[in-house]
Amino acid sequence: MASSGDKKEHLYKILVIGDLGTGKTSIIKRYVHQFFSQHYRATIGVDFALKVINWDADTLIRLQLWDIAGQERFGNMTRVYYKEAVGAFVVFDVTRASTFEAVSKWKNDLDSKVQLPNGQSIPAVLLANKCDQAKEGMVNNTSQMDEYCKEKSFIGWFETSAKENINIDEAARYLVTRILANDKANSYDDQVDKDKIMLDGTTTDEPEGRGSCC
Amino acid sequence: MADELPSEFDAIVLGTGMAESILAAALARCGQKVLHLDRNDYYSGGWATFNWDGLQRWITRQTHPAVQAMNEAEGTKPVECSKLEEGESALSVPQQANTISNLEMFTYVREKAEEPPPEEKEAQEVVTDKEEGQTSGAEEIQQQIHTTEDSEQATGLGESPADATPEELAKETESDDKSDDRCDEKKEDSPEEKKQQEKQDGLEEEKQDSQEKGTLESPAPASSVVQQEKVQEKSEPPKKMEPKKWSMDDIHKEWRRFNIDLSPKMLFGRGSLVELLITSNISRYCEFKAVSRILTLLNGQLEQVPCSRADVFSSKFVTVLEKRMLMKFLTFCVEYEQHPEEYQGWEEKPFSEYLQSRQLTPNLQHFIFHAIAMATRDATTLEGLKSTQRFLRSLGRYGNTPFLWPLYGPGELPQCFCRMCAVFAGIYCLRRAARELIIDKDSNKCKGIVCTEGQRISCRWMVMQGSYVPHMCRKPDPPVGSVSRGIFFTDRSLKASENEQITLLSIPPVEGSNFPVRAVELGNGASACPKGMFVVHLTSQGTGSAKADLQPAAEKLFQPLDGEDADTESDRPKVLWCVYFNQLDTTDCDPSSLYTGLPENIVVTSGPGVDLGYEQAVQQARSLFEQMCPGEEFLPAAPNPEDIIYEDDDGYKSGEAPSSSDNSEENGNDSEWKPDQEKLDEGVAGASNEVSQDAAGEGAQGGDEGLPQGGGEEVPQGGEGTGDAEAAAKDTQEAEM
């Protein structure tokens, strides 16, 4: 914490899930780093990408975007991955209908693994990625897609292109708006368990000496 | 979700238990290509933590007759395999763990909530489990039911329709429709006395707390006295809370709130797992709570063991003289190796006799032997001193006791290592395992596996948990041990206290037994169960069936389990539900005593074992890693994602920290989010970080992508597909977000 102490800051964890090759990593890179490359290899050694948003004059938001990074790609993510997430993007590839069929599987998995503190499912936005290319299947029919989202309880869907930078910021803003509203209603910060201990010394690590002997 | 796996790996790891997961992470961390499989649909194998539904499914699987038959028939000779090449043979891999035996489950509450009004009390003496009475507000009567059907229904919850039918479960439940009536008037015979006692308890604890604080925050002794007085003033006698009357229905409804552990282990505050989590940076994935008290059973009463200096001084069970004796002895134990003269000649003699020889009072002997050393009856002096030292050395780092409890259960911990492995490109697949191992006949090396989907995958190394070892490679009648485990849901804490506690308790060996029984009590605060309920884990070295090993201890802690002679006055916890089982334990076995003819590039890990801590698993993973990757560093610190700078659009080089004047006013906050350069350098070292624009620098002008800088081979080619006006427009938009 530096100069602007009165600014409210939030840290939110957002999951980015979906089948292999649907462009999850590209979306994150586009959103966080503002560039696109067709030559990404799986992101190695990095848990999440951090995006800092000056939301408004009083609010600063740090978004952690957690990529499954093509690694836990068979849908067997560890609980560590889901833990404390407050929002999610489920990504499919409009050029491959099979990746759309997997969406409900990913959504179900998501809802079974993580919930908001009040027991509700976390807000999820469906991303129809690679929309700069020829589409296949239901994504051509907007009203059907709307209906689908309602049925699967997505808060909304966007056609996106990481390559052409289409709608990615909009989708993110939409999700963050919902997260902020949820936060306001539930005040996540107040529910922090004060007794929790992290080993890295951020909490109750007591002075040396006391422990050396009883 | 894709199906086909890559066909070549450096190492294939079977099983996601603790040692396998540590090893998998260590291998991925030093650049090995790792495939990590588990035949279960959950992580952590025998170390898993389940919610209620998950536990029910697990129980169902252990007792399913088809599974047991499969285990017996499986893999006694080489198999035919179409995926083999010239000069290869195949060994079939067991598809079930078969490490659990003697599973018995009991239900002691009704299926549905049911509180008959008082006037119907007589009629309720015999309660049939078919009854589904309405809930009434009357609190006087508590029914204790123990029926076959109840427990069957409890397990019928398994989601998968393919699961065993309820009849196949609960092999040894007996019908016992004894009701246990209990009146408030009786119970409240001497309310004043009780309140008095509670007040005392509450005070005592707060006193200890304030003393702790006093010693920590201000060295002046006066301040802690002041605090104590304050506490005394505001302390009100806590209201007598009647425990909630649970039904199985309540338990089913709250299924998500349970985290129930197959292996309820704790971390020593200065143990090897804590150190490893910190040095590897895996600690960021996990959260803990301090075990808040250690109890001991002394003369039939549960007493809090004074373990910290403050505890010793404030303990009311230790006289002033004893305090000095205890302090002196424990101070010696911390560095016992440096005072060999103090125990010369006693090394191999019984620890209990040694303590007697030290002129310690019986109370102190009890505290040291049972609560601190948690020694077996025949422990030698050297063993006892070592255990005592280990306990003392872990004191004072986190909280009030030497121990940490992992939030959401110990089953989380292997997953933390799995996540690290995955982040370093390890590939994970549950519900999939090796069907066969492919063995090169000439070299007797394992060349790879045929996985359960039929795909052939090659590898240089195989790591497997013992239960994946082909039967062909196991010795007959191995010298394995077992762990006796019991899990009890109860309606109140073993020892009531103001704040919910995480409790460790070692119950001295019963007559004729060498082994103490370890109890761990967890509540809602440890995320183990719903509010108002407690989960008690009993663990001991197995000498017979888990039930036989643990029941004597259970009888000391809980209201009578069988419903006979129920002590209606008892303040002890009432057991709502419990399960007993034995876990196979190979932690003490040399691999050569268990396996034969195993290819040399196959390494085998053990299961959880009986120990309280994780030293064995960490040690095993480390030594296997050294065998596989000699000279490589074991789990060096992983970079912290928050320390990676994404450069802003003006394209700062990662080597030169941007000064604040470089940022326009609208980015005045930048400095807040920039980690200091020192931290960054640490983070970057040894990892392949990508570094590009600074995420905080949204408002900065220009779509001109600075070349990403970074210390790794993963640096993408900068500026591709961007650098246009649109990107610049986006940037501006984001600044407005």
Side-chain angles (χ1 to χ4, degrees), chain A residues 33 47 52 54-55 60 76, chain B residues 43 285 422 673 693 698 737:
Chain A
H33 317 177
D47 260 312
V52 182
N54 286 296
W55 185 258
L60 195 104
N76 305 135
Chain B
Y43 279 95
Y285 296 139
W673 308 111
Q693 287 100 340
E698 273 110 20
M737 270 174 83

Side-chain angles (χ1 to χ4, degrees), chain A residues 78-201:
Chain A
T78 47
R79 183 148 146 177
V80 176
Y81 176 78
Y82 291 103
K83 198 161 72 182
E84 282 155 19
V86 295
F89 290 116
V90 181
V91 187
F92 71 99
D93 174 354
V94 297
T95 67
R96 287 186 293 146
S98 68
T99 65
F100 179 70
E101 283 153 26
V103 162
S104 71
K105 207 163 149 191
W106 285 103
K107 180 68 163 70
N108 290 341
D109 188 52
L110 178 73
D111 290 343
S112 72
K113 299 270 175 55
V114 62
Q115 290 178 310
L116 294 177
N118 65 4
Q120 285 173 3
S121 57
I122 67 171
V125 170
L126 181 60
L127 300 184
N129 196 35
K130 305 193 186 175
C131 69
D132 54 295
Q133 296 178 44
K135 293 169 215 165
E136 196 182 86
M138 196 205 278
V139 69
N140 288 303
N141 185 329
T142 305
S143 63
Q144 267 187 35
M145 281 297 287
D146 289 343
E147 193 53 39
Y148 179 84
C149 282
K150 217 175 189 178
E151 191 187 308
K152 303 286 175 194
S153 61
F154 284 99
I155 61 166
W157 68 286
F158 288 81
E159 289 193 352
T160 56
S161 164
K163 190 176 176 193
E164 301 298 330
N165 198 8
I166 298 168
N167 264 345
I168 288 172
D169 292 322
E170 288 75 7
R173 197 174 309 131
Y174 185 76
L175 180 58
V176 171
T177 306
R178 177 63 68 96
I179 292 170
L180 275 168
N182 283 344
D183 193 351
K184 214 167 189 179
N186 294 303
S187 56
Y188 297 150
D189 288 348
D190 296 350
Q191 292 165 11
V192 171
D193 189 338
K194 300 283 187 291
D195 298 337
K196 270 187 198 171
I197 293 174
M198 299 291 290
L199 298 185
D200 54 10

Side-chain angles (χ1 to χ4, degrees), chain B residues 240-256:
Chain B
K240 182 79 196 164
M241 290 285 286
E242 203 45 44
K244 181 180 155 100
K245 305 204 185 330
W246 295 89
S247 68
M248 289 313 287
D249 240 18
D250 299 327
I251 293 174
H252 298 327
K253 272 186 207 135
E254 305 256 35
W255 64 278
R256 262 176 182 276

Side-chain angles (χ1 to χ4, degrees), chain B residues 23-272:
Chain B
L23 196 46
L27 291 168
R29 195 65 191 79
C30 73
Q32 306 284 307
K33 226 178 141 194
V34 175
L35 174 65
H36 201 170
L37 304 177
D38 198 304
R39 58 192 163 204
N40 297 312
D41 59 0
Y42 52 86
Y43 279 95
S44 308
W47 310 67
T49 297
F50 295 114
N51 64 32
W52 174 247
D53 280 8
L55 182 69
Q56 295 304 307
R57 282 199 294 277
W58 179 82
I59 289 171
T60 305
R61 252 177 252 128
Q62 306 314 315
T63 48
H64 198 294
V67 167
Q68 291 180 343
M70 193 154 101
N71 278 328
E72 278 154 32
E74 199 159 59
T76 37
K77 50 179 182 289
V79 285
E80 298 296 314
C81 177
S82 60
K83 305 277 174 179
L84 295 186
E85 291 163 10
E86 195 63 29
E88 292 174 347
S89 65
L91 289 172
S92 83
V93 175
Q95 298 304 307
Q96 288 293 329
N98 204 17
T99 52
I100 303 296
S101 54
N102 303 325
L103 190 138
E104 299 174 57
M105 184 173 65
F106 301 90
T107 303
Y108 299 104
V109 292
R110 288 169 176 280
E111 188 59 28
K112 303 266 182 215
E114 182 173 29
E115 295 296 344
E119 60 269 23
E120 287 173 25
K121 213 162 83 182
E122 295 303 314
Q124 292 296 327
E125 283 293 348
V126 178
V127 181
T128 74
D129 44 63
K130 296 272 192 276
E131 265 182 298
E132 293 189 4
Q134 75 285 23
T135 314
S136 110
E139 293 286 285
E140 286 91 334
I141 301 160
Q142 189 177 0
Q143 301 290 349
Q144 185 165 358
I145 311 172
H146 175 187
T147 73
T148 311
E149 264 191 37
D150 271 358
S151 39
E152 282 172 357
Q153 284 167 16
T155 54
L157 209 80
E159 279 177 3
S160 162
D163 281 344
T165 58
E167 282 76 17
E168 288 157 351
L169 298 162
K171 288 182 286 188
E172 214 195 285
T173 46
E174 55 202 271
S175 193
D176 179 5
D177 290 349
K178 198 92 180 169
S179 71
D180 161 22
D181 295 355
R182 166 167 149 178
C183 295
D184 270 346
E185 292 102 317
K186 257 197 237 166
K187 194 172 162 71
E188 296 296 331
D189 259 352
S190 52
E192 276 316 303
E193 254 178 59
K194 259 176 201 152
K195 278 179 187 162
Q196 213 55 42
Q197 182 56 42
E198 268 158 24
K199 186 172 176 177
Q200 281 293 323
D201 288 350
L203 262 183
E204 204 55 45
E205 264 168 32
E206 292 205 35
K207 252 193 218 166
Q208 286 173 21
D209 280 352
S210 60
Q211 278 208 350
E212 295 268 297
K213 279 185 197 128
T215 52
L216 284 175
E217 285 157 13
S218 64
S223 84
S224 72
V225 172
V226 172
Q227 280 185 22
Q228 276 182 45
E229 278 167 1
K230 266 193 209 152
V231 168
Q232 245 151 3
E233 272 167 27
K234 29 170 220 209
S235 174
E236 299 277 324
K239 277 214 173 124
K240 182 79 196 164
M241 290 285 286
E242 203 45 44
K244 181 180 155 100
K245 305 204 185 330
W246 295 89
S247 68
M248 289 313 287
D249 240 18
D250 299 327
I251 293 174
H252 298 327
K253 272 186 207 135
E254 305 256 35
W255 64 278
R256 262 176 182 276
R257 300 220 173 269
F258 288 92
N259 283 301
I260 309 157
D261 318 298
L262 297 186
S263 302
K265 288 175 181 284
M266 291 175 174
L267 291 82
F268 280 85
R270 289 178 213 278
S272 52

Side-chain angles (χ1 to χ4, degrees), chain A residues 1-5 7 9-11 19-20 29-56 59-62 64 66-81 83-84 98 102 105-106 109 111-115 117 163-170 172-174 176 193 195-201 203-214, chain B residues 1-6 43 212 215-216 256 259 267 270 273-274 277-278 283-290 307-309 312 327 330-331 334 392-400 404 407-408 412 415-416 418-419 422-432 525 639-642 644 646 649 666-669 671-673 688-690 692-696 698 705 708 713-714 716-717 719-722 726-727 730-731 733-737:
Chain A
M1 298 288 281
S3 49
S4 58
K7 200 154 180 165
E9 50 174 88
H10 301 281
L11 175 65
D19 269 8
L20 199 61
K29 302 235 157 153
R30 166 61 82 180
Y31 181 54
V32 173
H33 317 177
Q34 281 108 46
F35 66 86
F36 177 84
S37 163
Q38 285 171 327
H39 309 296
Y40 292 133
R41 281 179 278 159
T43 321
I44 289 182
V46 182
D47 260 312
F48 55 81
L50 187 70
K51 170 90 172 177
V52 182
I53 307 168
N54 286 296
W55 185 258
D56 58 32
T59 317
L60 195 104
I61 295 173
R62 310 174 85 198
Q64 285 185 355
W66 286 58
D67 193 347
I68 62 170
Q71 297 145 350
E72 289 153 308
R73 60 177 165 181
F74 295 93
N76 305 135
M77 271 83 72
T78 47
R79 183 148 146 177
V80 176
Y81 176 78
K83 198 161 72 182
E84 282 155 19
S98 68
K105 207 163 149 191
W106 285 103
D109 188 52
D111 290 343
S112 72
K113 299 270 175 55
V114 62
Q115 290 178 310
K163 190 176 176 193
E164 301 298 330
N165 198 8
I166 298 168
N167 264 345
I168 288 172
D169 292 322
E170 288 75 7
R173 197 174 309 131
Y174 185 76
V176 171
D193 189 338
D195 298 337
K196 270 187 198 171
I197 293 174
M198 299 291 290
L199 298 185
D200 54 10
T203 45
T204 56
D205 211 338
E206 288 164 11
E208 289 285 324
R210 199 189 144 238
S212 61
C213 155
C214 103
Chain B
M1 302 178 195
D3 284 313
E4 199 70 349
L5 291 159
Y43 279 95
E212 295 268 297
T215 52
L216 284 175
R256 262 176 182 276
N259 283 301
L267 291 82
R270 289 178 213 278
L273 185 55
V274 167
L277 286 167
I278 292 172
S283 61
R284 66 171 178 248
Y285 296 139
C286 37
E287 294 160 319
F288 298 88
K289 283 207 169 178
C307 32
S308 69
R309 192 182 284 267
V312 172
M327 294 299 293
L330 294 183
T331 306
V334 171
L392 296 173
R393 284 198 164 166
S394 283
L395 261 178
R397 187 176 197 177
Y398 306 102
N400 211 12
L404 286 174
L407 267 189
Y408 314 110
E412 288 289 290
Q415 296 186 50
C416 295
C418 292
R419 172 70 189 173
V423 165
F424 281 87
I427 291 183
Y428 276 79
C429 218
L430 301 181
R431 233 179 279 104
R432 195 180 299 203
N640 184 347
E642 308 226 13
I644 297 163
Y646 298 109
D649 292 341
E666 57 206 302
N667 291 321
N669 299 309
S671 56
E672 283 179 51
W673 308 111
S688 51
N689 300 328
E690 289 181 47
S692 67
Q693 287 100 340
D694 186 343
E698 273 110 20
E705 305 287 333
E713 68 262 23
E714 280 289 345
Q717 299 310 300
E720 283 187 39
T722 59
E726 195 189 302
K730 287 290 165 206
D731 290 341
Q733 264 182 27
E734 268 165 22
E736 286 157 6
M737 270 174 83

